[in-house]
Amino acid sequence: MTLSAPDPGLVDKLVVANRILYGRGVVDGFGHVSARHDKSPGHFLLARNLAPGLVRRDDIMVFDLDAVALDGAGRRVYLERFIHGEIYRARPDVQAIVHSHSPSVIPFGVTRYPLRPVFHASGFLGEGAALFEIREVAADTDMLISTGALGAALARTLGSRSAVLMRGHGSTIVGVSLEQVVYRAIYAEVNAKLQIQAISLGEVTYLNEQEAAYAASANDTQLARNWELWQREIGPVE
Ligand SMILES: [Zn+2]
């Protein structure tokens, strides 16, 4: 059985997601975003090894859940593609994933200080972020998720949550669509910055679990508004 080509609209949206995340400072030369294949849940779409701000349609490749490229053709692939394959395997509900080293989130991974929602826009953090300690599953490493075993361990730590912090490295955020995961990745960074500012002022009142859940549901009905704006900012994609 041959795999049908992904919806061109999804490929375009993935290119846009790459550019938006770069424009908003979530990714730089590093980091990546993927989407589950719309015709085969056992495959996903991810760019070749390239800075996200430079990704074009032709750079999008198809991978199976072992993170093997179907259409490699000698192109270099991301070292950390296993993050995507193993999370899609473990979480059938997940349709899109962002892995980044977005800077304001890093302090929470290295201090075990919990990342919590300080305002309505980050209600998706209501369950808190999981914390992945790579030393619990491997000897000293380069910190990268460069094998299937490490990817599976990360997916186990993520569990049913929307975000996992990776100590001394970055974070991975999941969603039910590219629009939702891009929103979450941007607002995880914003929330982290605001939370550090709030902590420096004094005692912080966070959204409680119910407020966070209500806010997250409300925000999910408004995703198109931000997406439209962010897409306009990056201009047309090739
Ligand atoms: Zn990384």
Side-chain angles (χ1 to χ4, degrees):
M1 195 188 87
T2 51
L3 182 65
S4 306
D7 172 10
L10 180 64
V11 174
D12 274 9
K13 199 177 276 188
L14 183 54
V15 174
V16 170
N18 272 274
R19 303 291 188 89
I20 290 175
L21 290 168
Y22 173 62
R24 288 271 144 185
V26 173
V27 297
D28 47 23
F30 299 124
H32 21 85
V33 50
S34 70
R36 196 188 288 271
H37 196 300
D38 58 298
K39 310 233 172 53
S40 167
H43 294 89
F44 65 93
L45 313 181
L46 179 69
R48 69 181 173 91
N49 189 322
L50 187 69
L54 301 178
V55 168
R56 303 188 300 182
R57 279 187 203 107
D58 291 348
D59 300 312
I60 302 297
M61 301 169 66
V62 177
F63 294 83
D64 66 21
L65 298 187
D66 292 326
V68 175
L70 266 57
D71 46 2
R75 292 188 285 183
R76 287 187 65 212
V77 291
Y78 290 126
L79 294 172
E80 297 194 281
R81 60 197 181 280
F82 303 98
I83 292 172
H84 304 267
E86 296 302 329
I87 290 176
Y88 287 125
R89 195 195 310 276
R91 288 279 301 273
D93 60 309
V94 169
Q95 301 299 323
I97 300 172
V98 172
H99 167 63
S100 83
H101 313 143
S102 82
S104 305
V105 178
I106 303 287
F108 294 90
V110 297
T111 57
R112 294 179 177 265
Y113 203 110
L115 181 65
R116 294 178 60 187
V118 294
F119 73 150
H120 69 100
S122 47
F124 65 92
L125 291 172
E127 292 175 281
L131 178 59
F132 180 68
E133 171 48 86
I134 197 166
R135 288 180 195 158
E136 288 175 4
V137 291
D140 289 351
T141 62
D142 57 11
M143 311 304 287
L144 302 182
I145 305 298
S146 52
T147 67
L150 288 170
L154 180 72
R156 275 196 299 278
T157 302
L158 170 69
S160 61
R161 296 180 200 225
S162 54
V164 55
L165 311 186
M166 302 150 81
R167 195 267 306 161
H169 175 183
S171 57
T172 297
I173 296 183
V174 303
V176 298
S177 65
L178 279 168
E179 288 92 334
Q180 190 194 53
V181 83
V182 164
Y183 172 93
R184 287 177 168 184
I186 289 170
Y187 278 103
E189 170 67 17
V190 172
N191 189 86
K193 201 176 287 178
L194 292 174
Q195 190 176 344
I196 293 167
Q197 289 170 354
I199 291 165
S200 74
L201 292 178
E203 194 185 335
V204 183
T205 302
Y206 297 97
L207 269 67
N208 67 30
E209 231 171 278
Q210 194 59 68
E211 288 172 333
Y214 287 148
S217 304
N219 293 331
D220 280 344
T221 68
Q222 305 294 320
L223 295 172
R225 210 157 92 188
N226 274 311
W227 183 269
E228 195 181 359
L229 171 70
W230 295 332
Q231 184 167 17
R232 181 75 61 87
E233 281 173 356
I234 60 162
V237 297
E238 303 152 63

